[in-house]
């Protein structure tokens, strides 16, 4: 996806892609405004990570409790030691192999990573995204003196992450001001959030599955990854609340849809009569790309129930199943 597919909107989506648009967006971040931008995973709601007032606006716009830390986005591994210290050798290897890309590393923080970023924890989440528009924005922001961009997914707290600029606008336009921006870089190629890896212990631990899989990490580091244990690990797992990744409609992972219900299922599964087919992905990659839009579509159509036939649990299927389990948590009887 090239820079030319980027457009900038002031509360609405305008098709106008230029490098000067990215320059303006960088300047807007420096001035303390919010800039929503595409990444390869989902859209992020960005603010200058060193500007307390700007970061607090992220929490306000998302309606997110302040005890949830934010990921800091940088344009390159070269900037990592501004934010993180005591970086283990395995974390450097992960960063060199999978950045830019859909992976976040949790590392011990430096003084630059203030409590308003880390929610008072002694560690900070760091990511170098690979989307062309995200990288251009980060480079521009850094060239204007910025050090990092804090960005959670650009949805209201507990809701579905946006994978298009239109979805961002639907979610947040009531909460953004005319000084904030939405950058449109097209639909996100991955479609589910980054793999988050706790790198504060002797071995890495995946605390949120994503496209960078256990197998990829084990093959790179030639180790067996420990399983994340929510009881003994000091770091809280992301999205543990029951309402996470939830549309308004109820999500069911078992049972049969009735006429008027929605269905998300692999393409070989036929659609029963009267059921609204929300997505029919041909493989796990398409499943991840289409999942969040399918959940949103159900709400746009005013459906009450969504029945889901989960993907095969391999590769990104593991991340999809993680989000589906959380999205369905309130519907489990
Ligand atoms: O793909 C992604 O990671 C997207 C794009 C925009 O980069 N971002 C994203 O951010 O998903 P967010 O805030 O929606 O989800 C990150 C999760 C949150 O549950 C947060 O509490 C957790 O990761 N998190 C962030 N920093 C952390 C830290 N230092 N320790 C433990 N959990 C952390
Ligand atoms: Mg999120």
């Amino acid at each position: 996806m090239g820079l030319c597919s980027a457009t900038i909107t002031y509360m609405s989506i305008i098709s106008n892609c230029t490098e000067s648009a990215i320059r303006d967006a960088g300047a807007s971040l420096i001035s303390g405004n919010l800039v929503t931008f595409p990444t390869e995973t989902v859209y992020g709601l960005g603010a200058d990570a060193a500007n307390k007032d700007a970061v607090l606006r992220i929490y306000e716009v998302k309606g997110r409790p302040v005890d949830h830390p934010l990921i800091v986005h940088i344009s390159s591994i070269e900037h990592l030691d501004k934010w993180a210290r005591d970086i283990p050798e395995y974390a450097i290897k992960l960063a060199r192999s999978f950045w830019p890309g859909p992976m976040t590393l949790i590392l011990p923080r430096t003084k630059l990573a203030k409590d308003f970023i880390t929610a008072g924890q002694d560690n900070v989440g760091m990511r170098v995204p690979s989307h062309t528009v995200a990288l251009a924005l980060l480079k521009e922001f850094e060239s204007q003196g910025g050090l990092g961009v804090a960005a959670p997914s650009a949805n209201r707290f507990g809701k579905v992450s946006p994978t298009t600029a239109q979805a961002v606008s639907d979610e947040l336009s009531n909460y953004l001001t005319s000084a904030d921006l939405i950058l449109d870089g097209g639909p996100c190629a991955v479609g589910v959030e980054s793999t988050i890896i706790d790198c504060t212990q002797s071995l890495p631990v995946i605390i949120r599955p994503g496209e960078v899989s256990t197998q990829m990490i084990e093959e790179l580091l030639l180790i067996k990854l420990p399983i994340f244990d929510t009881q003994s690990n000091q770091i809280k797992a992301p999205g543990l609340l029951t309402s996470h990744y939830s549309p308004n409609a109820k999500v069911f992972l078992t049972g049969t849809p009735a006429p008027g219900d929605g269905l998300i299922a692999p393409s070989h599964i036929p659609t029963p009569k009267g059921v609204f087919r929300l997505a029919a992905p041909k493989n796990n990659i398409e499943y991840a790309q289409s999942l969040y839009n399918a959940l949103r579509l159900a709400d746009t159509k005013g459906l009450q129930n969504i029945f889901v036939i989960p993907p095969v649990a391999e590769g990104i299927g593991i991340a999809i199943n993680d989000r589906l389990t959380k999205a369905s948590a309130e519907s489990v009887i």
Side-chain angles (χ1 to χ4, degrees):
M1 197 161 313
L3 252 188
C4 344
S5 61
T7 57
I8 275 197
T9 88
Y10 290 85
M11 303 308 296
S12 60
I13 297 165
I14 300 163
S15 278
N16 182 18
C17 143
T18 57
E19 283 181 21
S20 80
I22 295 292
R23 244 192 328 273
D24 290 349
S28 192
L29 283 171
I30 296 279
S31 312
N33 299 309
L34 301 185
V35 174
T36 302
F37 61 96
T39 80
E40 69 283 16
T41 58
V42 299
Y43 275 70
L45 174 62
D48 179 349
N51 179 335
K52 184 174 184 183
D53 290 339
V55 170
L56 292 183
R57 273 204 61 226
I58 290 182
Y59 284 92
E60 243 174 69
V61 167
K62 269 188 77 86
R64 174 169 168 161
V66 285
D67 61 349
H68 286 241
L70 298 172
I71 297 171
V72 176
H73 297 69
I74 50 177
S75 73
S76 148
I77 190 176
E78 309 306 322
H79 302 296
L80 188 59
D81 57 9
K82 295 185 177 126
W83 294 92
R85 63 183 162 81
D86 303 332
I87 304 168
E89 197 53 42
Y90 70 76
I92 307 264
K93 275 194 189 151
L94 289 169
R96 293 212 185 282
S97 297
F98 300 125
W99 277 350
M103 178 185 75
T104 297
L105 301 181
I106 307 233
L107 293 158
R109 67 172 168 175
T110 63
K111 286 203 174 73
L112 188 57
K114 298 282 194 301
D115 285 351
F116 57 81
I117 291 292
T118 72
Q121 299 188 131
D122 243 350
N123 49 63
V124 61
M126 299 299 304
R127 172 154 125 80
V128 179
S130 64
H131 194 294
T132 325
V133 174
L135 276 180
L137 176 66
L138 291 169
K139 282 200 184 111
E140 179 58 37
F141 173 72
E142 288 159 2
S143 80
Q144 295 184 33
L147 297 169
V149 173
S153 52
N155 50 283
R156 294 282 289 165
F157 181 64
K159 293 295 172 192
V160 179
S161 300
T163 53
T164 62
Q166 186 57 50
V168 172
S169 170
D170 294 346
E171 277 278 320
L172 298 183
S173 59
N174 288 343
Y175 305 92
L176 296 173
T177 73
S178 58
D180 301 324
L181 299 171
I182 298 175
L183 299 182
D184 183 351
C188 300
V190 176
V192 295
E193 303 82 352
S194 62
T195 307
I196 303 185
I197 307 170
D198 174 9
C199 300
T200 63
Q201 309 184 47
S202 53
L203 287 175
V205 183
I206 295 182
I207 65 167
R208 180 176 72 181
E211 196 195 43
V212 173
S213 65
T214 301
Q215 191 188 343
M216 287 157 74
I217 297 168
E218 289 183 341
E219 278 173 12
L220 174 77
L221 300 177
L222 304 174
I223 54 162
K224 182 99 189 107
L225 283 193
I227 304 288
F228 179 48
D229 173 359
T230 43
Q231 303 302 319
S232 68
N233 199 301
Q234 307 227 311
I235 288 184
K236 272 192 300 183
L240 270 187
L241 298 172
T242 46
S243 66
H244 243 88
Y245 312 110
S246 294
N248 298 326
K250 286 193 165 143
V251 177
F252 296 93
L253 304 185
T254 55
T256 317
D261 289 339
L263 175 66
I264 298 172
S267 58
H268 66 273
I269 309 278
T271 311
K273 203 159 181 254
V275 166
F276 194 91
R277 188 61 172 259
L278 296 162
K282 288 199 271 308
N283 51 47
N284 280 5
I285 292 170
E286 275 190 28
Y287 207 127
Q289 287 167 340
S290 57
L291 176 65
Y292 288 159
N293 258 352
L295 296 176
R296 280 174 190 285
L297 181 60
D299 285 349
T300 315
K301 299 274 173 204
L303 306 188
Q304 303 291 311
N305 303 312
I306 307 170
F307 286 80
V308 181
I309 299 187
V312 184
E314 58 188 33
I316 202 163
I318 299 196
I320 299 169
N321 286 334
D322 167 73
R323 308 309 191 272
L324 284 172
T325 306
K326 283 162 186 159
S328 68
E330 287 184 333
S331 316
V332 175
I333 303 156

